[in-house]
Amino acid sequence: MAVSDTFVSEKDVVRALSVVRKNWYIPVLLLLAAYGVGTFYTYRLTSIYAAKTQILLKSNDQINPGAVISDNSYYGNTSKTYIDNSNEKRIILSYDLIRKAINRLDFDVSYFLVGRVRTEEIFRTAPFIVKVNSISSDLYEQKMDIKFLSSSTFAITYVKNDKNVVVKGSFGKEIVTSDFSLKVVPRGTLTANKSNAMKVTDYLFQVHSTDFLVKNFQANMKVESPEYTNILEISVKDVIPGRAVMFLDTLVQVYIENSILQRLELNQNTLYFIDRQLAEVAGTLNMIEDTLQEFREDEGVFDLEREGEQYFQQYIGFDSRKRSLQMQTAALNDLESYIRDNKDPQFLPPSAYFSYGDPFLDRCVSELYEKQVTYVDFQSRGTEENPEMVLLRQSIDRLKNDMLVYISNNRNAIGNSIRNVDKQIDTAQSNIQTLPLKQRGLINITRKLKVNENMYLFLLQRKANTVIARASILPETKVIEKARSQGIVEPNRKNILYYFLAAALLLAALIIVTRVLLFERIESSEELRTMTGLPIAGEIPQYKSPDDLRIVVDVDPKSFISESFRTIRTNLQYMLHDHNGGRIIITSNSPGEGKTFCSINLAAILAKGGKRVVLLELDLHKPRVQKGLNMTSATGFSTIAIGKCKIEDAILPTSIENLDVILSGPLPPNPSEIIVSPRLEEVLEYCKQHYDFTVIDTPPIGLISDALVLMKKADCTLFVLSTKMSYRTILKRVLGLFSESKIPNVSFVLNYVKRKRSRYYYSGYRYGYGSGYGSYGGGYGSYGSYGSYGSSEEKKKSRGK
C-alpha cells in the first residue's frame, strides 16, 4: 500500500517518535513522584471500618379492609398483615433509640496516640482512663494533650480563649477546676516499664457530648431491607471496628427491648385495672357478709326453703348478667372517651384493655396504641408534612372511625341485653314477693353476696390469664446475624493512588503539549527540514561551549566539527549561482547561537580550499570576530564608512592562508545608520572584484533588523540555529520574517547538535573520499564527495597535521 493511502504518514510517525524521545522522562518522573506522594497521602488517611448485623422482623401492623361497621358482627380473620419496614428503619435511626444505646456504652471519651506522621485513635488500649464527672460545653470535642511527668503525675493541656491552659494532677485524685471535674486512673497494673513508656509517648483525649455521639452514629448508619424479605440489615461506619460492633449489638438489644416494652405496658395496665376492681369487690363482699350475719342474728332466719332458693338462684343469675353487661358498657365508654379525646398513648385508660374477650376490640386497641407510639416518634424527628406521617395519620383516623362505629353498635346491643335482663329480674322479684317477709330479706342479702362473689371469681380468673399472658410475651424481632466487622471500607487507597497516577499522566500530557507548542526545540536537521521545507546547508556537532570562537578547522582538522564545515562548503557550491564564489551572509535569531563561530570557521574552510576569502565583520553592535581571530585594529568598516580610511587600509591578513578580514573598527554610536551608509556598496563591490568569497557576519535579526537589509544584497544567506535556542515558535517567527521580506536563497545551519542526533556520530568518520556528509533539502538532495572542491594541497596539509 502506498504511503499516501495510509491514515498516518511516515512524517507523522517520525514526528510522534521525536516527541516521545524528547519527553519520555516527564511522565516517568511525574508518575514516580505521584506514586510516592499518593502512598504517603493514603498512609496518613484514617481507615474507616464497617460493622453489620441482620435482624428478622415480625410485623404487627394491620389494615382492616372492611367498610364501616354497621352491626354487632365479629371480624375475626378479615385483616391483612403486612410488613412496614420503612417505619422500622426510622425507628432504628431515631435519635432517642440511639441515645438509649449510647447511654449504655462507655463512648464519652476517645483516646489518641500521637505519631511522627499521623495521629491514630486507640480504643480500650490506652494505658490510662479518663473519668469525667462534668465538663464545660466549650471543651466538648476538643483534643486535650496529656503528658505523663512521672509514674504518678501528669499534665493536661487544653486551649481556652486562644490560650494554652496547663493543669497538673495525680493518678486516682479528682481534678476540679472551673472548666471540668475529672479523674485519671491507670488501666490495669502500672508497672515500671509501662510507666517509662507512657513518659516518652504523646497522648490526646477527647470528651464527647451525647448529642455529638448520637448525630455522628446517625450520619454513619445505614438500614436496608432486601427486597421481598422481613430482614433488616443495619450497618455503621467507624474508625474503630470494635466500637462499631459494640454499638450495633447494643442498639439491636435496645430495639428489641423497646419492641416488647409497649406490650408489657399494656399487660401491666390490665393488671392494674383488675387489681383495682378486685379491691372494690372485696370491700363490697366484706360489707355484705357483715350485713347477712347481723340479719340472721336479728331475725333468727338461717336458711331458705326450696321454692325460695329457686327464686333466689334465678335472681342472682339475672343480676350477675346485668352487672357484667354494665361493666362492658363502662369499658366501652372509657375507650370511646380515649379515642375522641385523642390522648397521648402514655395516658391510655386501663379499662380500654379490658374488653371481656372481644377479639376485635383487643386487636384494634393494640394496633391503635402501636400506631400512636410510632406517630409520636415520627413527630420528634420530622414535620407534619412528611408523607409517611400523613399516611400514618390517615390510617389512625380510619381505625378510630371503625372503632367508634363498632363501639356505638356494640353499646346499643348491650343496652338491649340489659333491658331484657331487667325484665327477667322484675319477674324474679315478683316471684320473691310471694315469699314471707323474713325470707325475702334474706334472699336480697344473699343475692348481693352471690353476685359479688361471682364477680370476684371472674376478676381473679382474668388476672390469672393476664399474668400467664405476660409470661408469654417474647420479642418478635430476632437477631439472625450478630454484629461483625466488615473490614476497611474507606478510604479506597488503591483508587486514590490511581487518581494520583491519573493526575500525574494528565499533568505530564499538559506539560508535553505545552513544550511541543511553545518550548520544543529542533534537535536534528531532519526535524528542521520537516518543519521549514527550506534547504539545510549542514549541521555542526556539539562542542565545548557556544562561546568558543576557535578556528576549529585549523586547530583540529580531523574533528567532527571540521568535517561538518567541509560539508557546508560542499553544499554551498550548489546554493550559489556562481559555483566558484559569491557573497555569503551569516546571521541568527539571537546572540549566543554560534553565528560568529560559524562565520570564522566557514571563511577558514573556504580559504583552505584554495579560494580567496574575505571575512567582513558587520555586527557593529557586538563585534566578536576580532576575538575569534585574536586580532585588533584601529581601522575597520566603521572607519571606512565615515571616510577616515581606505578600503585597502582596513583589510588585514589572518593566520589562515587566503583569508583576509575587515574588522568592525571602533564601535560607532549609531551602528544601524553606519550599516546602510553608501560606502557599504563600495566595500561589497571591492570585495567581489578581489575575492572569490565574501563572508559577512551580521547582527541577530531577532534583536536588530540590520541583517534583513544586508540579506537582499547576498548571493546566499546562512541562518544559524542553535539547538539550545531553536524553539519552534521562534522558528515560525523567523520564517514569517523571511516570507515578508522576500529574502532569496536562505538556508539553515543547525549548530550545537548532540552527537547522538548528528549523522556524523552514526556514520563514523572517513576523511577524504567516499560517501559525502552533505545533506541538502529543498530539492537539492544528498551530495557525494567534497574532494573535488578542495585542493590537493589542503588534503596533504590535513594529512600532515
Side-chain angles (χ1 to χ4, degrees):
M1 181 181 292
V3 176
S4 59
D5 296 335
T6 60
F7 291 104
V8 181
S9 65
E10 182 180 355
K11 184 183 297 186
D12 294 334
V13 173
V14 172
R15 170 76 170 140
L17 292 176
S18 175
V19 172
V20 172
R21 174 178 54 78
K22 295 177 182 179
N23 301 282
W24 64 268
Y25 64 92
I26 295 177
V28 171
L29 293 178
L30 287 178
L31 284 174
L32 291 175
Y35 183 82
V37 174
T39 302
F40 180 75
Y41 175 78
T42 54
Y43 173 76
R44 294 199 65 201
L45 291 177
T46 302
S47 297
I48 306 297
Y49 298 83
K52 185 176 72 172
T53 185
Q54 290 186 349
I55 59 176
L56 177 64
L57 301 177
K58 181 181 179 183
S59 176
N60 288 325
D61 294 335
Q62 297 175 330
I63 295 177
N64 179 20
V68 176
I69 302 173
S70 58
D71 56 14
N72 199 24
S73 59
Y74 167 65
Y75 295 89
N77 299 313
T78 59
S79 63
K80 180 181 178 182
T81 301
Y82 71 96
I83 302 299
D84 188 3
N85 288 343
S86 61
N87 291 343
E88 300 304 318
K89 292 178 183 179
R90 284 185 171 270
I91 291 173
I92 292 175
L93 292 172
S94 65
Y95 185 97
D96 291 339
L97 192 71
I98 296 176
R99 179 175 54 80
K100 289 179 181 179
I102 289 176
N103 289 338
R104 297 187 183 185
L105 298 167
D106 184 20
F107 289 171
D108 57 332
V109 180
S110 295
Y111 304 90
F112 301 88
L113 180 64
V114 181
R116 294 182 179 180
V117 179
R118 63 177 180 178
T119 299
E120 184 177 4
E121 184 176 357
I122 53 180
F123 182 67
R124 297 194 171 181
T125 57
F128 61 95
I129 300 175
V130 178
K131 297 182 178 181
V132 181
N133 297 324
S134 62
I135 190 170
S136 172
S137 59
D138 296 336
L139 296 183
Y140 278 128
E141 319 316 326
Q142 181 184 145
K143 291 182 179 179
M144 293 182 277
D145 178 79
I146 180 168
K147 184 68 176 178
F148 295 95
L149 307 177
S150 66
S151 59
S152 60
T153 60
F154 56 86
I156 298 175
T157 305
Y158 60 96
V159 178
K160 182 179 180 180
N161 298 328
D162 298 328
K163 294 182 180 179
N164 287 335
V165 179
V166 179
V167 178
K168 294 183 179 180
S170 301
F171 278 132
K173 294 183 179 179
E174 187 171 358
I175 304 175
V176 180
T177 68
S178 60
D179 295 322
F180 54 73
S181 171
L182 57 82
K183 181 167 58 176
V184 179
V185 297
R187 188 188 299 272
T189 304
L190 187 61
T191 62
N193 292 336
K194 189 175 180 180
S195 176
N196 293 332
M198 292 169 62
K199 293 178 186 178
V200 297
T201 306
D202 293 330
Y203 294 98
L204 302 174
F205 71 91
Q206 186 179 31
V207 182
H208 304 293
S209 65
T210 302
D211 183 68
F212 170 82
L213 291 173
V214 172
K215 292 180 178 179
N216 181 62
F217 278 111
Q218 270 185 328
N220 290 283
M221 279 182 61
K222 182 186 293 184
V223 182
E224 297 176 327
S225 177
E227 195 172 4
Y228 307 119
T229 67
N230 297 339
I231 296 174
L232 287 184
E233 292 182 351
I234 310 172
S235 61
V236 67
K237 296 177 182 178
D238 200 330
V239 297
I240 305 296
R243 184 168 57 194
V245 171
M246 291 178 59
F247 170 75
L248 283 184
D249 285 337
T250 306
L251 180 68
V252 170
Q253 182 180 355
V254 172
Y255 171 73
I256 293 175
E257 293 175 357
N258 189 68
S259 66
I260 65 173
L261 181 62
Q262 57 188 8
R263 288 187 288 159
L264 292 174
E265 290 177 352
L266 294 175
N267 186 275
Q268 184 63 38
N269 287 337
T270 302
L271 288 174
Y272 172 76
F273 172 76
I274 294 174
D275 288 338
R276 190 177 64 182
Q277 295 294 322
L278 282 172
E280 292 178 1
V281 173
T284 303
L285 282 174
N286 292 331
M287 183 181 64
I288 294 174
E289 288 175 349
D290 292 341
T291 303
L292 179 59
Q293 182 64 27
E294 292 176 358
F295 182 83
R296 283 175 174 174
E297 292 176 354
D298 293 341
E299 301 296 334
V301 179
F302 296 97
D303 201 357
L304 295 175
E305 296 180 355
R306 183 175 182 181
E307 185 180 6
E309 180 70 24
Q310 182 180 358
Y311 292 154
F312 176 71
Q313 293 297 334
Q314 290 178 351
Y315 186 84
I316 289 177
F318 295 145
D319 194 53
S320 297
R321 173 65 177 161
K322 181 178 179 180
R323 290 285 302 274
S324 177
L325 292 173
Q326 287 175 341
M327 291 186 69
Q328 291 185 40
T329 302
L332 291 175
N333 292 337
D334 289 342
L335 181 58
E336 183 181 42
S337 176
Y338 162 75
I339 294 173
R340 294 189 183 280
D341 292 344
N342 197 26
K343 291 184 178 180
D344 186 88
Q346 299 299 328
F347 302 100
L348 198 87
S351 59
Y353 301 99
F354 192 59
S355 58
Y356 296 93
D358 189 322
F360 178 78
L361 280 182
D362 287 344
R363 186 175 66 251
C364 288
V365 168
S366 178
E367 181 181 355
L368 178 62
Y369 182 81
E370 291 178 2
K371 287 188 175 183
Q372 286 184 323
V373 170
T374 303
Y375 186 79
V376 171
D377 182 67
F378 277 4
Q379 282 183 320
S380 65
R381 295 183 288 108
T383 61
E384 295 291 337
E385 291 75 18
N386 188 301
E388 292 188 14
M389 293 185 64
V390 172
L391 292 176
L392 185 58
R393 187 166 57 246
Q394 292 174 353
S395 176
I396 292 174
D397 292 340
R398 286 196 300 269
L399 181 59
K400 285 183 176 181
N401 292 333
D402 289 347
M403 292 177 68
L404 290 173
V405 172
Y406 181 85
I407 290 171
S408 178
N409 293 339
N410 201 11
R411 185 169 49 212
N412 292 335
I414 293 175
N416 293 331
S417 298
I418 291 176
R419 285 189 289 273
N420 291 333
V421 173
D422 285 339
K423 292 179 182 180
Q424 294 172 340
I425 291 175
D426 291 340
T427 302
Q429 286 180 340
S430 299
N431 294 332
I432 293 174
Q433 291 296 328
T434 61
L435 298 176
L437 181 60
K438 290 184 179 181
Q439 287 192 357
R440 290 202 306 268
L442 183 59
I443 287 174
N444 287 332
I445 296 174
T446 306
R447 172 184 58 80
K448 293 179 181 179
L449 180 62
K450 289 291 184 181
V451 168
N452 282 279
E453 284 178 348
N454 291 339
M455 179 58 64
Y456 192 82
L457 293 175
F458 173 76
L459 290 173
L460 286 176
Q461 182 182 5
R462 297 293 296 186
K463 181 177 181 179
N465 293 337
T466 304
V467 172
I468 294 173
R470 183 181 184 88
S472 64
I473 296 177
L474 297 175
E476 295 181 339
T477 301
K478 297 181 180 180
V479 178
I480 60 176
E481 183 178 329
K482 289 186 177 181
R484 58 173 52 92
S485 177
Q486 304 297 306
I488 298 176
V489 294
E490 292 178 8
N492 191 326
R493 288 181 167 80
K494 183 180 293 184
N495 285 350
I496 293 176
L497 193 57
Y498 287 157
Y499 294 150
F500 271 90
L501 296 178
L505 288 177
L506 290 176
L507 180 60
L510 180 63
I511 293 175
I512 291 173
V513 170
T514 304
R515 280 169 54 87
V516 169
L517 295 179
L518 302 177
F519 304 106
E520 186 181 19
R521 296 179 297 179
I522 306 297
E523 295 185 352
S524 67
S525 58
E526 288 78 9
E527 294 180 19
L528 183 60
R529 184 183 301 107
T530 301
M531 183 173 180
T532 63
L534 293 176
I536 310 300
E539 58 182 31
I540 311 300
Q542 190 178 40
Y543 44 95
K544 292 182 180 180
S545 171
D547 295 330
D548 189 358
L549 296 178
R550 294 180 304 159
I551 307 178
V552 180
V553 297
D554 186 55
V555 176
D556 189 4
K558 294 184 178 181
S559 65
F560 290 142
I561 298 177
S562 299
E563 194 62 33
S564 65
F565 279 105
R566 292 188 180 93
T567 301
I568 297 173
R569 181 183 65 183
T570 302
N571 290 334
L572 281 175
Q573 64 178 323
Y574 297 98
M575 298 168 61
L576 297 170
H577 299 294
D578 183 0
H579 298 324
N580 294 320
R583 190 179 297 158
I584 303 171
I585 286 183
I586 300 179
T587 188
S588 64
N589 179 72
S590 57
E593 295 199 62
K595 166 181 62 66
T596 303
F597 173 79
C598 291
S599 299
I600 295 173
N601 281 278
L602 179 60
I605 201 67
L606 289 173
K608 284 179 174 293
K611 301 296 183 178
R612 291 173 296 126
V613 182
V614 61
L615 177 59
L616 180 58
E617 184 178 26
L618 292 185
D619 187 356
L620 304 182
H621 298 269
K622 191 177 180 181
R624 301 188 66 203
V625 171
Q626 51 188 327
K627 179 180 178 182
L629 296 176
N630 196 22
M631 297 175 62
T632 57
S633 175
T635 61
F637 179 77
S638 60
T639 56
I640 295 174
I642 61 176
K644 287 189 175 182
C645 74
K646 296 180 180 180
I647 297 175
E648 296 84 351
D649 298 336
I651 297 175
L652 303 174
T654 67
S655 60
I656 306 299
E657 186 179 357
N658 295 326
L659 176 59
D660 295 336
V661 61
I662 299 178
L663 299 177
S664 61
L667 295 181
N670 54 345
S672 296
E673 285 75 9
I674 296 296
I675 290 295
V676 296
S677 67
R679 298 298 303 274
L680 176 62
E681 291 293 339
E682 297 178 15
V683 173
L684 294 177
E685 185 62 28
Y686 180 89
C687 292
K688 182 178 181 180
Q689 293 177 1
H690 294 81
Y691 297 93
D692 297 320
F693 289 98
T694 302
V695 179
I696 305 173
D697 182 53
T698 66
I701 63 173
L703 302 177
I704 304 166
S705 61
D706 296 358
L708 291 175
V709 177
L710 297 172
M711 287 179 187
K712 296 181 180 180
K713 304 178 183 297
D715 296 317
C716 174
T717 299
L718 295 181
F719 190 88
V720 178
L721 195 65
S722 173
T723 57
K724 285 190 172 183
M725 306 177 184
S726 58
Y727 297 109
R728 292 178 180 268
T729 52
I730 295 177
L731 186 57
K732 289 179 180 179
R733 185 174 63 83
V734 170
L735 292 175
L737 287 176
F738 289 162
S739 177
E740 292 174 3
S741 303
K742 298 181 180 180
I743 305 300
N745 205 9
V746 178
S747 298
F748 286 93
V749 173
L750 190 60
N751 188 27
Y752 214 69
V753 179
K754 293 182 180 179
R755 294 292 179 90
K756 293 185 178 181
R757 306 285 180 261
S758 174
R759 58 181 177 275
Y760 297 103
Y761 180 82
Y762 293 106
S763 62
Y765 177 72
R766 288 173 55 190
Y767 179 81
Y769 306 96
S771 299
Y773 297 88
S775 172
Y776 188 73
Y780 288 90
S782 300
Y783 306 107
S785 69
Y786 55 82
S788 59
Y789 189 81
S791 65
S792 59
E793 181 180 353
E794 181 198 350
K795 296 174 186 177
K796 292 178 181 178
K797 291 181 179 180
S798 299
R799 291 190 186 102
K801 292 181 181 180

